[in-house]
Amino acid sequence: MTDERDAKNPTLVDVAKAAGVSLSTAARVLRNSGYPVDDKLKENVHAAAKSLGYVPNLVARRLRGGKQGVVGLVIGDMLDAHYGMIAETVTERAESAHSTFAIVCNMQRDPLLEIKYLRKLLEYRVDGIIMAGGGFDQWTHHQALTETIEELKRAGTTVVSLMPRNIEVPVFSSDNEAVGLTQARFIVENGHTKIGILLGPARNEMTKLRMQSMTSYLSGYSVDYAIANIDSTPEAGALGAAEMLERNPDFSALICGSDAIAFGAVNHLRAQGIDIPGRISVMGLGNTRLATLCTPRLTTVEMNFDLAGRAALDFITSHDATAEASGAVIPHDLVVGESFSLIGSGAE
């Protein structure tokens, strides 16, 4: 009597028998190993696999010491343009350059959900994980995150991050202190001495590095600034701009921790009849699609999120998980749009 489970789940042995080839030949063909196999035998193996409904057991392959050809990508917020850019780059390159399948998890800026997804990806024994979560509290559950990362590494999973997180993994990110310095220098060069700064959540390593670098430079030029930490969304940007106007009605520039914040701020200020950049200049960060959709076009910082995602994926697919590596510094550039002006150049 045929075992019902065997009928539903044909094995590689069944494929080899149906194709009239050895088990090793069937395995080489279906794994696309590159080992030379006669074209007719290849056709027989693929036809047998299709006829039987054979699907490789990738988890079992990984447990035997092989690679699945699957990577995990944990992004911060599916609705945020910069995470969409990263997801698009990683999934496209996984398919086109590495014949790899990418599982995308949306953590919705929730640090506990991030840890939950990391543990789920551990259960699936993915080859590697790219941590691309961003603007949220990264400190409260840091110990639990660290323990999860160490468990993943012990299982042979390569883990990388697209931002500094104070965890022992390779980081593929711009130099955040240099980014803060780039913004600060541009402010000073354009003559602004009273500014508002809308940054992401304070309990965040990336935000801290940018803020410290920016404010240290501005203090050396007697620039007065007020800082507010908000969510990195257009809605929060609008509320932040309103509060900044109430606190400091005479500020001449608004520096934002993301294009999303800047987009919301610009929309609010224009709705109040405020000329941009004649009365208030606005700067974003990221050079995402929101920067080009904004009216006027945002002055922002190109963070090359796509380059970071590509470099991280290339590292995972070619990397020995036991090797040491620090990642790579991704270049950033100032992108000058129409939302920022030299003080007095267009003021009323």
Side-chain angles (χ1 to χ4, degrees):
M1 180 177 177
T2 303
D3 189 302
E4 184 178 353
R5 289 174 299 175
D6 291 341
K8 290 182 177 179
N9 299 289
T11 67
L12 189 60
V13 172
D14 298 324
V15 174
K17 187 181 298 184
V21 299
S22 68
L23 182 62
S24 60
T25 296
R28 287 165 180 160
V29 171
L30 294 177
R31 291 174 187 170
N32 195 26
S33 66
Y35 190 90
V37 177
D38 179 79
D39 288 342
K40 181 60 178 177
L41 293 182
K42 286 183 181 179
E43 290 179 12
N44 291 344
V45 171
H46 286 301
K50 183 177 181 180
S51 174
L52 293 170
Y54 170 76
V55 178
N57 188 331
L58 297 180
V59 173
R61 180 188 299 176
R62 176 64 187 268
L63 292 174
R64 290 194 298 268
K67 284 196 171 185
Q68 291 198 63
V70 180
V71 297
L73 171 65
V74 183
I75 62 172
D77 184 351
M78 194 74 78
L79 297 179
D80 190 311
H82 103 256
Y83 293 117
M85 185 186 303
I86 293 169
E88 173 68 17
T89 296
V90 170
T91 53
E92 188 281 327
R93 188 163 182 81
E95 172 64 28
S96 64
H98 300 294
S99 297
T100 298
F101 177 66
I103 300 174
V104 182
C105 303
N106 179 22
M107 61 170 281
Q108 302 171 51
R109 301 184 188 274
D110 181 346
L112 288 176
L113 190 54
E114 178 184 43
I115 294 170
K116 178 181 178 179
Y117 282 143
L118 290 174
R119 300 202 65 82
K120 282 291 184 184
L121 292 169
L122 170 61
E123 293 174 8
Y124 280 95
R125 295 295 194 270
V126 297
D127 301 326
I129 297 174
I130 301 173
M131 298 173 61
F136 60 94
D137 176 0
Q138 297 177 347
W139 298 350
T140 301
H141 304 286
H142 188 265
Q143 182 60 36
L145 174 65
T146 300
E147 292 171 358
T148 301
I149 297 299
E150 290 305 313
E151 191 172 351
L152 282 159
K153 290 160 68 174
R154 286 194 297 270
T157 302
T158 304
V159 182
V160 303
S161 177
L162 300 192
M163 72 213 64
R165 297 286 298 272
N166 280 329
I167 50 179
E168 296 298 322
V169 300
V171 176
F172 297 83
S173 169
S174 295
D175 181 335
N176 285 282
E177 291 180 310
V179 169
L181 193 59
T182 294
Q183 292 179 300
R185 284 175 173 162
F186 189 71
I187 294 165
V188 171
E189 289 169 358
N190 282 275
H192 296 272
T193 58
K194 293 184 179 181
I195 67 171
I197 304 175
L198 297 177
L199 297 176
R203 299 175 68 80
N204 182 295
E205 185 68 16
M206 183 170 57
T207 298
K208 183 188 77 172
L209 291 171
R210 293 175 188 163
M211 180 186 68
Q212 289 177 341
S213 176
M214 184 190 308
T215 55
S216 176
Y217 186 89
L218 294 177
S219 296
Y221 287 87
S222 300
V223 175
D224 293 331
Y225 55 83
I227 299 175
N229 292 101
I230 61 176
D231 288 336
S232 189
T233 65
E235 295 80 6
L239 292 173
E243 293 174 4
M244 196 64 69
L245 270 174
E246 186 175 344
R247 289 168 54 187
N248 304 278
D250 60 343
F251 74 88
S252 64
L254 189 61
I255 313 305
C256 302
S258 72
D259 287 344
I261 293 174
F263 185 84
V266 166
N267 284 344
H268 174 78
L269 294 173
R270 293 188 69 210
Q272 300 303 309
I274 295 174
D275 179 39
I276 299 173
R279 165 64 182 85
I280 297 177
S281 292
V282 180
M283 178 189 292
L285 187 141
N287 198 30
T288 63
R289 181 175 293 183
L290 287 179
T292 59
L293 293 176
C294 188
T295 303
R297 204 278 189 206
L298 273 180
T299 289
T300 185
V301 178
E302 170 62 75
M303 297 293 286
N304 290 304
F305 296 124
D306 54 340
L307 296 183
R310 188 177 303 129
L313 179 65
D314 291 348
F315 175 81
I316 287 174
T317 56
S318 63
H319 182 59
D320 175 0
T322 63
E324 294 294 330
S326 58
V329 176
I330 305 300
H332 73 278
D333 300 286
L334 185 68
V335 178
V336 180
E338 291 78 46
S339 69
F340 211 98
S341 69
L342 180 68
I343 193 73
S345 63
E348 298 174 354

